[in-house]
Amino acid sequence: MNPANSIPDQSTLNRWRQNFLDLNAQKLASAREQLSPRQQAVLDVLPLLLHCNGSRLPGYVAPHTPCGITGYTPTLEHHSALHQFARGAQIPRDPGQRCIEGVFLMGSLGSVAQSRNSDLDVWLCHDELMTDHQVSALQEKCTRIEKWADSQGTEVHFFLMNLKDFRDGQSQSADGEDCGSSQHLLLLDEFYRSALWLAGKTPRWWLTPEALEYQADSYWAKLTENHLIDVADWLDVGSLPTIPAGEFVGAGLWQLNKGLTNPYKSLLKLLLNREYASAYPDIRPLAWDFRKQVQEGNADLLNTDPYLLMLHRLESHLSEDEGDLRDLMRRAFYFKSGVQLTRLIGNQRQQRRVKALEEQIKEWGWTYTYLDELDSRQSWPARKVMNERNALVTQMLNSYRALATFSQEHAQSLHIKERDLRVLGNQLFAAFRAEPGKIIDINPKIRSDMEEEKLTLNLKEGIWQLIPGSWRPGDDSAVLIQTPSIIEALVFARRNGMLTSHSHVALYPAHNPVTQYELRSLLQDIMEIPLPGKKSIDFTSDQTPLRWHLFVNPGVNPQQSLSRRGMQKISNRDDALGFSSSRENLVQSVELLTITSWGEWQVSYYSGADTVHEAMLQVLNFRSKADTQAWPEWHIHCHCQVRSVAIQKRLEKLLSDLIDHLSQTKPAPYLLQTGDSFHLIEYRRREVVSHHAENLKALIKLLARPRPRFRRWHLDSHALPSSPLRLILEQGEGDQWHVWYWRQKGKVFLYVMDQYGSLHYQEQSGSDIRSTLVPLLRFIRRLNQRWADELQQERWPLHLSELLLDGETLSFSAERRRIPVEAREPATIEVSAQSRTKSALEISVNGLTLSQATSGTKLLQEARQAIIAARAHDHAQPVWLSDITIDDNRHLIRHLQFRQRLEHLLNHPSSAPSSPARKGRAQAQT
């Protein structure tokens, strides 16, 4: 359409403008009806405070702070309103400057959804040429006016708008009340259908015919050329030709996040956005319907009410099979209005918005009983609140998913900044992520207060049931949550406002593992945990823990099994992780509460033999962040029936030691013992990893693993008491080979550590230490010399020490011993083995080579016969290997393991499997 052929005449333009001003005046009058006299006075004086800059006026900053509203002249009403707050104050003379081009009220004011709790959201459109310094000064003036208004019982929020930036799609970040870049034309649509003009220029959009919306700029230029308007009187907020597909995801994210505190309003807006998207590309914004009524002269408070317009559009859009959604949408509209039709007093029934609501209720067929139930929302039971929350969340997420699917199909790019997308996404993740132990907020302002005078905890088949209010045993209808963790139940009640310092918590059944003393102590601990506040929540960064609370053995008697056996105390061993001579681990359960920087609370439940280890690992895996962040706070709580203080102190010391140790630049492996189990904790590749050994034998196997470099082991203060391993691991040195031995009851115990700290252990029957040590040392020396020659390097230093046990302290010491001369001499009978990668195992006896390729499964038998035949006497003497060659392998411990296995098979041929050599070679090459 050619704008030149469709330009309205002067009288039409004047009529449209006057229609807008008349409707605006009606809406302002309607808005004032819902405000208290004090709030009305604050609203009346706002334009004056923005226009003037007097030192005695609220909001004053400095003499040259930007002020002045274009086209504004204070009236007698403004003078009167000012004198209510500042008697005798004189309005300063005209400021001269005009930095403010338009002032508008946004939100539900003047609509059926306005309530006494509605705040005043003010769009302040300033001169587009103002400097950043001037904008900051004006913002400070507005902030001071906000604080003053708050002191007068009125909540005011200013939003400074550079309309050029706004028209270009630029905006602030999506924090607080600002939607940031998440929506632009959707926000403009809302502005045109809900904004109330207070002062300054009026939006030129009201003079634009619907047919020319797509050509608004050229149309406006034509009006100017024909001198039909004065540009100085009009404000260009932007045209609204359609809603681009790329806006819907950002707008959906924004409304989902607003739904965390105002779910009913957000649901309505999400449904409207969904309706818009379903009509794409022929979207008809609601603001167009509003403007049509204004330009045709048919506008009144009802047919232009933004919430009624939204309601009627949604009612016509929902299908017959969406009954549950329709009911929820109607409840959302009713609750957003803030009117309680069964609680009206005085002349409230005569109010316009009340009559409009009653018409809707009549049309919907709602009964008085149903209305009374809705009006009793503040006393809804917690379970009903949670069900309503779940219904709201389900429908809001469904709407968002529909918008996201739409955007994937139609939007080439998303109209939202990366930072805003990250912030809003993080907020949604924190609010709606469902995981075991995650504490959800069940009351997104459905009830204003969730406090319960009485709460019940019922233990049923090992599961705790949380029941608000009084409870009749056997009645599961009032159960709010069920969990194996009593801490999760109590924290859930605390986080959702049900548990306060005045609440009484009853325990069922009467014979309960949780004592009244323990319950009181747990409640005190939980009540001291601060609820999340805005200052402690940061969605701009990745989620990170802020605080840990470890609750140990809640409802558990750690010595119950010992008491049954009469073994509460049968030794002097007081370690809570290895108590008494039976080394009982007294920590049987840990319930770990994690509080994150996103305000999330999550309880992890650990029980069983590995409880301490698993709980500690969850905490310790913060280590990768500790290079740039301080370790979070942590607290350990223990109130079980016995030894609670000792358990708490032991775990506090352990966790403190672990954090200090792992915070080192290159921490050594940390060995922890709990009961008879062992845990080797290491920090590798920016991750804390743990290797479990269920007993001492498994630990020996774990210590034998090849290591890339030497690092001395760090042992927990209570690990390996009365074991020579403690001394060996603490005193072992790198870049050398070391052999330790000790004798006890006819056995010799041998420990060999290589240059990297890997450890080999074996025991040998017999009291003659020399006959056991010499073959081992000869074998080690042979490997050392051969490898040094092959690599053209020095031999590794080799040391020998004897371990001595102190009978009183049961502790070990080590004394160096000389390596026997015989170990430096060749064996009388040279027995060696070769394990090649691609060929069979070979065994040589004094130069005679036997191969598995020719001997097959008889290799070991023939080798043993050859060894016996080479002996002049003492045929029962054990067979010792002098050397072993394993292709591509120079790990001392692997050679010792292969030697031990092969010697066992040669000395005990009856225990050999069908193909022992092949199995032995595979083990050696791993």
Side-chain angles (χ1 to χ4, degrees):
M1 181 182 292
N2 186 350
N5 300 328
S6 309
I7 297 177
D9 57 25
Q10 186 70 64
S11 63
T12 300
L13 294 173
N14 292 342
R15 185 176 72 255
W16 287 354
R17 182 176 189 275
Q18 193 57 48
N19 289 348
F20 164 73
L21 294 175
D22 291 343
L23 180 63
N24 189 78
Q26 294 178 52
K27 290 198 166 196
L28 273 175
S30 176
R32 289 172 57 84
E33 290 179 2
Q34 302 303 315
L35 301 176
S36 68
R38 199 68 171 173
Q39 291 172 322
Q40 291 179 19
V42 170
L43 175 59
D44 290 340
V45 83
L46 279 182
L48 179 59
L49 298 180
L50 294 169
H51 183 69
C52 301
N53 194 34
S55 60
R56 297 184 59 187
L57 299 182
Y60 178 78
V61 179
H64 302 294
T65 301
C67 62
I69 303 174
T70 301
Y72 172 76
T73 301
T75 65
L76 290 176
E77 289 77 7
H78 297 145
H79 282 265
S80 176
L82 176 63
H83 291 155
Q84 291 188 46
F85 304 109
R87 293 188 178 277
Q90 297 297 318
I91 297 179
R93 59 186 177 182
D94 190 284
Q97 57 178 322
R98 295 290 185 270
C99 296
I100 301 172
E101 298 189 334
V103 183
F104 302 87
L105 287 177
M106 287 287 288
S108 58
L109 291 179
S111 73
V112 295
Q114 180 183 349
S115 67
R116 287 191 173 273
N117 296 324
S118 296
D119 49 11
L120 305 182
D121 289 341
V122 182
W123 270 30
L124 193 155
C125 304
H126 59 77
D127 187 338
E128 298 169 2
L129 299 179
M130 284 175 59
T131 65
D132 291 344
H133 176 74
Q134 289 175 314
V135 173
S136 297
L138 181 57
Q139 179 64 68
E140 177 61 25
K141 178 181 178 71
C142 291
T143 301
R144 295 189 181 192
I145 294 175
E146 288 176 351
K147 292 179 179 178
W148 166 81
D150 187 63
S151 70
Q152 303 300 319
T154 306
E155 188 173 352
V156 178
H157 303 283
F158 285 99
F159 300 90
L160 271 59
M161 307 292 294
N162 182 321
L163 290 184
K164 181 181 184 304
D165 290 346
F166 180 74
R167 291 191 300 271
D168 293 341
Q170 301 178 30
S171 57
Q172 302 298 316
S173 300
D175 297 324
E177 298 297 320
D178 196 328
C179 64
S181 64
S182 63
Q183 50 190 340
H184 174 223
L185 292 181
L186 282 167
L187 183 60
L188 188 59
D189 173 46
E190 183 178 350
F191 171 81
Y192 283 136
R193 70 176 187 264
S194 63
L196 299 181
W197 174 72
L198 281 184
K201 302 177 182 180
T202 49
R204 76 182 200 182
W205 185 78
W206 295 102
L207 299 190
T208 305
E210 182 178 311
L212 298 178
E213 189 68 47
Y214 290 89
Q215 303 167 340
D217 289 340
S218 58
Y219 162 74
W220 194 255
K222 206 66 177 178
L223 291 181
T224 305
E225 292 173 7
N226 293 341
H227 305 289
L228 294 174
I229 53 96
D230 184 351
V231 175
D233 295 336
W234 298 93
L235 200 62
D236 183 11
V237 184
S239 59
L240 186 61
T242 186
I243 309 296
E247 277 200 21
F248 287 104
V249 164
L253 282 171
W254 172 251
Q255 291 304 333
L256 273 178
N257 281 281
K258 293 293 288 182
L260 302 179
T261 55
N262 198 342
Y264 294 113
K265 179 180 178 181
S266 291
L267 175 64
L268 294 173
K269 291 189 175 182
L270 274 168
L271 290 175
L272 178 63
N273 292 347
R274 185 174 172 181
E275 191 279 331
Y276 280 174
S278 69
Y280 183 84
D282 301 319
I283 299 173
R284 181 176 179 81
L286 281 179
W288 285 13
D289 296 342
F290 190 122
R291 182 177 57 186
K292 181 180 179 182
Q293 298 285 7
V294 171
Q295 292 182 347
E296 291 179 353
N298 300 322
D300 59 36
L301 292 177
L302 289 180
N303 65 17
T304 60
D305 186 289
Y307 277 88
L308 288 175
L309 283 171
M310 189 191 313
L311 175 67
H312 296 152
R313 177 73 69 90
L314 295 180
E315 287 274 13
S316 63
H317 174 69
L318 293 177
S319 62
E320 292 296 329
D321 59 353
E322 294 180 291
D324 291 342
L325 177 56
R326 186 186 302 275
D327 290 343
L328 183 61
M329 183 267 293
R330 289 173 174 175
R331 288 202 304 274
F333 176 81
Y334 182 72
F335 288 141
K336 182 63 187 76
S337 74
V339 175
Q340 295 182 326
L341 291 177
T342 62
R343 310 287 197 272
L344 297 176
I345 58 174
N347 63 350
Q348 288 180 337
R349 199 170 294 276
Q350 303 305 315
Q351 294 177 1
R352 176 191 63 85
R353 67 193 194 109
V354 171
K355 291 181 179 180
L357 272 177
E358 287 181 329
E359 286 296 321
Q360 289 297 328
I361 300 311
K362 183 178 179 180
E363 182 180 330
W364 294 339
W366 283 6
T367 65
Y368 181 89
T369 302
Y370 184 63
L371 269 176
D372 185 57
E373 180 186 349
L374 298 185
D375 291 343
S376 303
R377 179 163 57 118
Q378 294 304 322
S379 57
W380 279 2
R383 185 159 181 171
K384 184 175 179 65
V385 172
M386 186 164 69
N387 290 340
E388 181 81 348
R389 177 261 183 198
N390 292 341
L392 286 164
V393 168
T394 297
Q395 294 300 343
M396 287 193 293
L397 287 176
N398 286 344
S399 295
Y400 173 72
R401 293 187 187 105
L403 294 174
T405 300
F406 163 83
S407 294
Q408 290 174 355
E409 295 175 357
H410 298 285
Q412 295 181 351
S413 61
L414 299 181
H415 293 192
I416 182 171
K417 294 178 182 176
E418 183 178 345
R419 178 190 184 279
D420 292 343
L421 185 63
R422 182 176 66 252
V423 168
L424 295 175
N426 290 346
Q427 289 175 333
L428 286 184
F429 186 85
F432 299 125
R433 176 178 64 106
E435 282 192 353
K438 170 77 176 295
I439 307 301
I440 63 169
D441 293 321
I442 66 170
N443 180 38
K445 300 295 178 67
I446 296 173
R447 265 176 58 177
S448 59
D449 179 18
M450 291 290 291
E451 180 178 352
E452 293 286 347
E453 183 179 340
K454 184 174 182 179
L455 291 163
T456 300
L457 284 173
N458 178 49
L459 182 60
K460 181 179 180 181
E461 298 177 357
I463 299 297
W464 289 100
Q465 297 176 326
L466 175 65
I467 304 136
S470 300
W471 178 69
R472 296 189 308 274
D475 179 14
D476 290 342
S477 62
V479 174
L480 194 59
I481 64 166
Q482 301 187 98
T483 169
S485 165
I486 186 175
I487 299 303
E488 181 181 349
L490 291 174
V491 166
F492 183 95
R494 163 71 170 149
R495 173 68 185 254
N496 282 285
M498 292 178 283
L499 176 63
T500 70
S501 58
H502 305 293
S503 302
H504 172 70
V505 180
L507 282 174
Y508 284 90
H511 298 289
N512 203 292
V514 177
T515 65
Q516 287 296 328
Y517 166 78
E518 184 176 4
L519 178 62
R520 287 194 299 271
S521 300
L522 291 175
L523 290 173
Q524 181 177 346
D525 290 342
I526 290 172
M527 289 305 300
E528 290 176 356
I529 300 174
L531 294 174
K534 289 185 177 180
K535 291 184 178 180
S536 64
I537 297 178
D538 178 17
F539 290 112
T540 62
S541 303
D542 291 340
Q543 177 202 65
T544 187
L546 292 181
R547 191 179 302 111
W548 292 295
H549 291 268
L550 292 85
F551 294 87
V552 183
N553 290 343
V556 173
N557 178 358
Q559 285 195 279
Q560 188 170 10
S561 61
L562 291 176
S563 299
R564 291 198 192 103
R565 292 179 281 162
M567 298 173 61
Q568 300 95 314
K569 182 69 175 176
I570 58 176
S571 80
N572 293 324
R573 188 169 290 157
D574 284 328
D575 176 24
L577 303 182
F579 183 75
S580 81
S581 59
S582 59
R583 291 205 58 84
E584 294 282 345
N585 182 0
L586 299 185
V587 178
Q588 298 185 19
S589 72
V590 172
E591 302 182 23
L592 172 57
L593 170 62
T594 303
I595 299 175
T596 75
S597 57
W598 290 355
E600 292 182 286
W601 289 19
Q602 185 162 4
V603 177
S604 303
Y605 179 77
Y606 301 102
S607 64
D610 295 332
T611 292
V612 173
H613 162 250
E614 291 175 350
M616 294 290 171
L617 269 189
Q618 181 175 336
V619 172
L620 295 175
N621 263 307
F622 182 83
R623 172 63 182 86
S624 61
K625 301 179 181 180
D627 293 332
T628 56
Q629 303 176 41
W631 278 86
E633 294 180 32
W634 54 270
H635 307 271
I636 293 178
H637 314 272
C638 184
H639 307 288
C640 58
Q641 297 179 34
V642 294
R643 301 194 176 275
S644 58
V645 174
I647 293 172
Q648 179 172 329
K649 288 184 176 180
R650 173 69 168 102
L651 292 186
E652 287 175 344
K653 180 66 165 58
L654 173 62
L655 184 52
S656 179
D657 288 349
L658 279 166
I659 290 175
D660 289 345
H661 176 71
L662 292 176
S663 296
Q664 298 174 23
T665 304
K666 294 182 178 180
Y670 189 104
L671 185 64
L672 170 67
Q673 182 175 4
T674 57
D676 291 324
S677 299
F678 299 89
H679 308 278
L680 189 60
I681 302 170
E682 296 183 272
Y683 182 59
R684 297 188 309 186
R685 299 183 181 91
R686 299 186 59 76
E687 181 182 8
V688 176
V689 297
S690 177
H691 307 279
H692 172 70
E694 61 184 10
N695 51 39
L696 188 58
K697 183 178 180 181
L699 175 64
I700 294 293
K701 186 176 181 180
L702 193 63
L703 296 176
R705 295 178 311 159
R707 304 175 69 196
R709 69 188 65 86
F710 179 83
R711 284 185 294 175
R712 180 173 284 107
W713 305 86
H714 186 98
L715 276 65
D716 176 59
S717 58
H718 292 272
L720 295 169
S722 307
S723 169
L725 274 177
R726 183 171 189 92
L727 175 72
I728 292 170
L729 295 178
E730 288 183 331
Q731 295 188 1
E733 297 286 346
D735 294 333
Q736 64 179 29
W737 291 356
H738 202 138
V739 179
W740 291 268
Y741 68 92
W742 71 292
R743 292 168 284 189
Q744 185 185 49
K745 297 180 180 178
K747 285 190 176 182
V748 178
F749 303 92
L750 300 166
Y751 303 86
V752 182
M753 182 176 287
D754 69 8
Q755 71 272 26
Y756 300 123
S758 296
L759 189 70
H760 173 72
Y761 164 81
Q762 70 182 80
E763 59 182 67
Q764 198 79 31
S765 298
S767 57
D768 185 0
I769 186 66
R770 184 172 294 271
S771 64
T772 300
L773 270 178
V774 167
L776 174 66
L777 292 170
R778 181 183 291 126
F779 176 84
I780 293 175
R781 283 177 52 81
R782 181 75 62 85
L783 292 179
N784 201 1
Q785 183 64 57
R786 177 159 52 83
W787 291 347
D789 294 341
E790 291 173 355
L791 298 174
Q792 296 183 350
Q793 65 180 26
E794 295 293 325
R795 291 177 298 174
W796 296 110
L798 177 60
H799 301 289
L800 177 65
S801 296
E802 182 177 5
L803 297 167
L804 304 173
L805 176 63
D806 188 313
E808 294 185 3
T809 64
L810 298 181
S811 61
F812 281 86
S813 61
E815 290 187 5
R816 286 288 179 90
R817 298 288 185 250
R818 290 184 178 182
I819 295 178
V821 175
E822 299 94 318
R824 307 171 189 271
E825 300 172 351
T828 305
I829 301 176
E830 287 287 331
V831 183
S832 62
Q834 290 186 337
S835 177
R836 305 294 185 186
T837 304
K838 296 181 179 180
S839 62
L841 176 68
E842 294 179 351
I843 298 177
S844 298
V845 181
N846 282 345
L848 174 64
T849 300
L850 303 172
S851 173
Q852 188 180 7
T854 57
S855 301
T857 58
K858 296 182 179 181
L859 172 65
L860 297 179
Q861 180 181 351
E862 292 178 0
R864 179 175 173 81
Q865 291 173 350
I867 295 168
I868 293 173
R871 287 175 176 165
H873 52 79
D874 198 3
H875 295 174
Q877 179 182 338
V879 174
W880 307 108
L881 286 167
S882 306
D883 194 7
I884 290 177
T885 302
I886 304 174
D887 277 0
D888 300 324
N889 190 313
R890 291 189 177 90
H891 291 291
L892 173 62
I893 304 305
R894 286 291 181 251
H895 281 71
L896 290 172
Q897 290 172 335
F898 191 22
R899 172 182 180 267
Q900 182 180 10
R901 172 68 176 163
L902 201 52
E903 286 177 347
H904 175 77
L905 296 176
L906 288 169
N907 288 309
H908 303 87
S910 61
S911 64
S914 59
S915 184
R918 187 175 302 276
K919 180 177 180 181
R921 185 172 67 255
Q923 289 178 340
Q925 293 172 349
T926 57

